[in-house]
Amino acid sequence: RSPLLLFPRPMPPSHALRYSSPAIALHWVLGVAIIANFALGIYMHELPVSPSRLKLYNYHKWAGITILALSALRLLWRLTHRPPPDVPMPAWQARAAHAIHGVLYVLFFAVPLSGWAYSSAAGFPVVVFGVIPLPDFVPKDKELADTLKGLHKLLTLSMGALVLAHIAAALEHHVIRKDGLMAR
């Protein structure tokens, strides 16, 4: 099922019914980082302009770049390691789950890249951890910055909604169906 034939996945042994430890760790670290950065974005957005707000924006950018790097690592891992078999479920649910996962992977990249582009267009460079300056993603342009700000917000809210749907579906499988999905 690999979307890229450049990264063939080794076949798991028949007893491999769980994701690997690195896959599980990447899932949870990335999940917590995304939720925390989403919360930080909402919180800092409402603050008046001040040095503490600017500091929080920098933390938000650093977290976004870290999420981008973790997303690349997670995608590389996923493309090179076969997942365990799905638990039995209706075909429409399996298709919905795969579609949501696919869109989430796209958003793992689109959200931080749109934020980086917005920051560049607004004339605020991204300096990771205050020491690693990243190149401007796009030229400084106020109109473009306004557009990218809206795009970043739309993509972020979309990812937030899909993360909630993902959590709700996992809880439904665990609490109501008790079908072992969470044990994978």
Side-chain angles (χ1 to χ4, degrees):
R1 283 201 271 177
S2 177
L4 296 177
L5 297 177
L6 299 173
F7 300 103
R9 294 188 215 159
M11 290 296 291
S14 60
H15 65 278
L17 300 177
R18 289 178 45 91
Y19 281 93
S20 64
S21 294
I24 293 169
L26 284 167
H27 173 271
W28 287 106
V29 168
L30 193 56
V32 168
I34 287 169
I35 291 168
N37 210 30
F38 182 81
L40 176 59
I42 289 172
Y43 173 74
M44 69 184 195
H45 181 271
E46 300 300 322
L47 294 176
V49 176
S50 67
S52 62
R53 180 181 181 191
L54 294 175
K55 183 168 54 170
L56 291 176
Y57 265 86
N58 282 324
Y59 293 164
H60 181 74
K61 291 181 202 181
W62 301 348
I65 296 301
T66 302
I67 288 167
L68 183 62
L70 287 171
S71 296
L73 183 60
R74 182 174 181 188
L75 180 60
L76 181 62
W77 187 266
R78 178 66 174 81
L79 291 173
T80 58
H81 294 80
R82 186 176 296 276
D86 287 334
V87 296
M89 66 180 81
W92 72 268
Q93 281 185 350
R95 283 192 302 274
H98 289 285
I100 287 173
H101 286 127
V103 174
L104 279 171
Y105 270 95
V106 169
L107 291 171
F108 292 162
F109 291 91
V111 170
L113 289 173
S114 66
W116 183 0
Y118 162 59
S119 191
S120 295
F124 298 110
V126 178
V127 183
V128 181
F129 307 123
V131 294
I132 305 168
L134 298 182
D136 283 337
F137 202 166
V138 297
K140 186 176 175 181
D141 180 322
K142 180 162 177 20
E143 286 183 33
L144 179 60
D146 291 340
T147 300
L148 289 168
K149 181 178 183 180
L151 177 64
H152 183 63
K153 181 178 180 179
L154 175 67
L155 292 172
T156 300
L157 292 174
S158 298
M159 183 163 57
L162 289 178
V163 166
L164 288 175
H166 175 72
I167 292 168
L171 289 173
E172 189 263 345
H173 278 276
H174 185 68
V175 175
I176 296 170
R177 292 177 184 263
K178 300 179 183 177
D179 58 9
L181 180 111
M182 296 277 287
R184 293 178 351 142

